[in-house]
Amino acid sequence: MTHYLMAVHGPAEMSEFGNYGSEEEMEAAFAATGAFNDQLHADGYWVFGGGLQAATTATVVDGRGEAPLVTDGPYLETKEVIGGFWVVDAPDLDVALGLAAKASKACRGKVEVRPFDGIA
Amino acid sequence: MRSESAAVERVFREEYGRVIASLVRRFGDIDIAEEAAGEALVAALEKWPESGTPPNPGGWLTTTAGNRAIDRIRREKQRDAKHQAAYMSYDDTPHEPTGPVEDDRLRLLFTCCHPALAPEARVALTLRLLGGLTVTEIAQAFLVAETTMGQRITRAKKKIAAANVPYRVPEAADLPDRLGGVLTVLFLVFNEGYLATGDGDPVRAELTGEAIRLTRVLRELLPGEPEAAGLLGLLVLTEARREARVRNGQLVPLAEQDRAGWDHALIAEGHHLVRECLAINRPGRYQLLAAINAVHTDAPSAPDTDWSQLVALYDQLTQLDPSPIVALNRAVAVSELDGPEVGLTLVDRLPLVGYHAWHATRADLLRRLGRTAEAKESYDAAIDSTQNSAERAYLSRKRGELV
């Protein structure tokens, strides 16, 4: 089994209803994502997952110098950031890609699949 | 000595795909498989010229390479902790079922053509791992720097290992999708050989031959898939005309080819495959293209070609693939049936301004309509948009004939 990160990308600037066009759309996506999460648990793929607050709530810490340097905002200047993610444990990439397709449909966003280089 | 080692290398190339595929299944690692196969070649070059080629060279190479791989893994195990890999060397539990067809090469072909890999990486990996072509040869065939091709292959192999791309034939439900990718790669390899894009040799027989060899393997392994038979039919019917297609460095178009110079054994094989597809009656893109080529190769001379059947086949193909390139080929058949004026009307509305065959087709139709000045311009545009030396020579001659 391999652990895969399934990261959802979305705009750095959130609209009124998160990344969604309307309140109905947002609620439908939340419901679909909830059902997808239940299925991940039931099928034994679930390791961890969650949605993230807006990128503007991020803080970057650089502890490489004498004193830690704390900076407000995401590290990268970008139009798109990670909006949420799952960590799944799947037998191979084809299974992970199948899960990502369902995840993408549920949350209505593009999903990047990337294997972990081992897990602590 | 030289001819003996050339013979060893020829056997090695023929057996390479089988050897690599079996080692990848056994050791689960493409790099180990390639290194071990390389060592087995060195051993064969030392032994075979003295003791003669063994009765089953593929088996000999696989066994020798397998032993070298185990030696290597044992050495590495003592040096550090490659326990997992070492375990596999004496793990004789049967492999889990891997799909509808049990063949190592087929699994490797689907792994090389996995949709998670970039299309150019799929072509390169297939030629490297199944065709046994060197990185230098693949780089030359696709006109990129050797370092670029090397990096492309290394990156793809790393992704297969790290992302755990499965080494198996996809499930029956996924097969049509994934098979399409495999067929595309084989078709691309063939086309690059048949009408080379670069300014080197106009035809690369080693690539067309390799594509046909791999497609034969695919068709043997998937006898129930008419598109595999269709692609093989298309490739052999096209290959059958290869010798007659270039004369004195000039492309000879179908209508002007010496039909006695065609390879009639390949044509018979192609016609047989097309009939087999017709009997299955699940038409697909490659089957239709094969049928189109069967109609061409069936005619004793160009004027005897059954153009109305060709238009019907192109109509069917348009349903599956409504691309402008299919429409262009259909328009050529229509202009034979209904005259160049009707054909030109169809051709003119196609959005193919950057495509050499569009200009060449227009040039020919304009020439037949006596619109000489416009035909000359179109020949110039066609010559400008192709690098293939044989095609340029042919187009230049046709332009020169216009007064």
Side-chain angles (χ1 to χ4, degrees):
Chain A
M1 300 288 271
T2 306
H3 284 80
Y4 294 92
L5 173 73
M6 303 199 306
V8 186
H9 292 255
E13 297 287 336
M14 293 268 191
S15 68
E16 191 186 347
F17 306 107
N19 296 333
Y20 303 97
S22 69
E23 194 169 350
E24 294 76 32
E25 233 179 274
M26 183 174 76
E27 277 169 9
F30 284 177
T33 305
F36 173 71
N37 289 342
D38 292 343
Q39 196 61 47
L40 279 184
H41 279 286
D43 294 339
Y45 296 124
W46 175 274
V47 177
F48 185 77
L52 297 173
Q53 290 286 345
T56 47
T57 64
T59 310
V60 175
V61 180
D62 185 351
R64 291 172 298 181
E66 295 242 329
L69 186 67
V70 176
T71 322
D72 179 27
Y75 181 62
L76 295 166
E77 283 292 325
T78 173
K79 286 199 182 85
E80 283 211 333
V81 293
I82 293 179
F85 65 90
W86 292 267
V87 177
V88 295
D89 190 9
D92 59 48
L93 182 67
D94 281 359
V95 176
L97 294 177
L99 295 174
K102 287 181 188 149
S104 167
K105 185 163 256 172
C107 74
R108 290 148 169 81
K110 270 197 282 187
V111 174
E112 176 185 319
V113 177
R114 214 165 135 190
F116 274 85
D117 185 14
I119 269 243
Chain B
M1 263 326 262
R2 181 167 290 271
S3 72
E4 279 166 350
S5 55
V8 174
E9 280 177 41
R10 195 177 59 243
V11 173
F12 180 73
R13 175 161 292 182
E14 280 166 12
E15 298 293 338
Y16 190 83
R18 204 187 292 269
V19 173
I20 289 289
S22 132
L23 294 171
V24 171
R25 176 177 52 70
R26 187 157 165 219
F27 298 101
D29 186 307
I30 292 172
D31 286 327
I32 287 177
E34 282 198 291
E35 281 163 16
E39 288 180 25
L41 171 64
V42 173
L45 285 169
E46 282 169 6
K47 288 221 174 108
W48 294 2
E50 284 170 24
S51 59
T53 305
N56 177 359
W60 190 97
L61 286 166
T62 304
T63 307
T64 306
N67 292 337
R68 299 297 164 108
I70 289 170
D71 288 347
R72 177 179 291 270
I73 291 165
R74 287 209 178 113
R75 278 199 307 275
E76 289 191 1
K77 189 197 167 198
Q78 279 169 357
R79 220 177 45 221
D80 54 46
K82 271 212 157 180
H83 289 141
Q84 183 59 32
Y87 175 70
M88 297 190 75
S89 68
Y90 49 81
D91 170 26
D92 57 2
T93 52
H95 227 72
E96 54 188 293
T98 42
V101 180
E102 295 286 333
D103 185 282
D104 293 337
R105 283 169 301 166
L106 192 59
R107 278 180 233 166
L108 189 56
L109 188 54
F110 276 96
T111 307
C112 289
C113 299
H114 196 278
L117 302 174
E120 60 269 28
R122 293 181 211 168
V123 173
L125 264 186
T126 303
L127 288 174
R128 174 81 201 100
L129 297 180
L130 280 144
L133 268 64
T134 62
V135 175
T136 316
E137 287 169 322
I138 303 168
Q140 278 166 359
F142 289 92
L143 302 160
V144 298
E146 196 176 328
T147 46
T148 310
M149 191 53 83
Q151 282 163 359
R152 203 176 273 174
I153 293 174
T154 307
R155 201 180 306 138
K157 287 198 290 192
K158 200 175 165 195
K159 184 163 179 182
I160 289 174
N164 200 6
V165 171
Y167 175 56
R168 67 159 173 254
V169 179
E171 314 277 323
D174 299 324
L175 194 58
D177 278 359
R178 297 284 174 93
L179 180 63
V182 170
L183 295 170
T184 305
V185 162
L186 296 173
F187 192 41
L188 268 177
V189 171
F190 183 88
N191 277 339
E192 185 53 34
Y194 199 69
L195 190 67
T197 45
D199 53 7
D201 285 348
V203 175
R204 295 165 176 271
E206 76 282 5
L207 283 181
T208 61
E210 195 55 45
I212 289 176
R213 196 169 69 76
L214 291 172
T215 309
R216 277 192 205 288
V217 172
L218 183 70
R219 136 136 188 92
E220 265 170 45
L221 301 173
L222 293 177
E225 284 297 332
E227 278 291 85
L231 180 64
L232 182 58
L234 169 62
L235 299 192
V236 296
L237 288 171
T238 313
E239 177 80 356
R241 306 196 303 263
R242 182 165 56 79
E243 290 289 331
R245 196 168 137 269
V246 179
R247 179 146 308 144
N248 303 325
Q250 263 191 38
L251 201 70
V252 184
L254 188 59
E256 295 169 29
Q257 284 173 17
D258 171 14
R259 293 181 182 224
W262 287 354
D263 182 331
H264 292 277
L266 282 181
I267 289 178
E269 185 191 358
H271 285 195
H272 179 78
L273 287 161
V274 169
R275 281 195 297 275
E276 188 184 300
C277 291
L278 283 172
I280 296 173
N281 196 22
R282 268 161 51 207
R285 178 164 181 254
Y286 295 112
Q287 295 174 72
L288 288 168
L289 287 168
I292 286 163
N293 278 275
V295 171
H296 281 301
T297 47
D298 212 21
S301 70
D304 294 326
T305 307
D306 186 347
W307 292 106
S308 62
Q309 202 187 342
L310 285 173
V311 173
L313 285 166
Y314 275 118
D315 285 342
Q316 229 186 320
L317 186 59
T318 308
Q319 302 285 313
L320 291 176
D321 177 10
S323 74
I325 291 181
V326 171
L328 177 66
N329 289 319
R330 181 182 172 277
V332 171
V334 169
S335 63
E336 294 297 330
L337 200 62
D338 299 333
E341 194 141 20
V342 181
L344 187 62
T345 315
L346 294 173
V347 171
D348 273 343
R349 61 168 85 118
L350 297 174
L352 292 171
V353 183
Y355 185 51
H356 64 95
W358 184 74
H359 292 291
T361 305
R362 282 194 81 237
D364 184 54
L365 294 172
L366 289 164
R367 177 186 62 80
R368 282 155 67 182
L369 289 167
R371 289 158 66 175
T372 308
E374 291 163 275
K376 278 184 180 168
E377 280 176 29
S378 289
Y379 277 120
D380 286 338
I383 292 164
D384 282 347
S385 50
T386 180
Q387 290 289 314
N388 187 283
S389 59
E391 196 166 27
R392 289 173 76 103
Y394 164 73
L395 293 166
S396 302
R397 173 169 70 83
K398 292 302 275 186
R399 191 197 184 284
E401 283 170 7
L402 291 173
V403 276

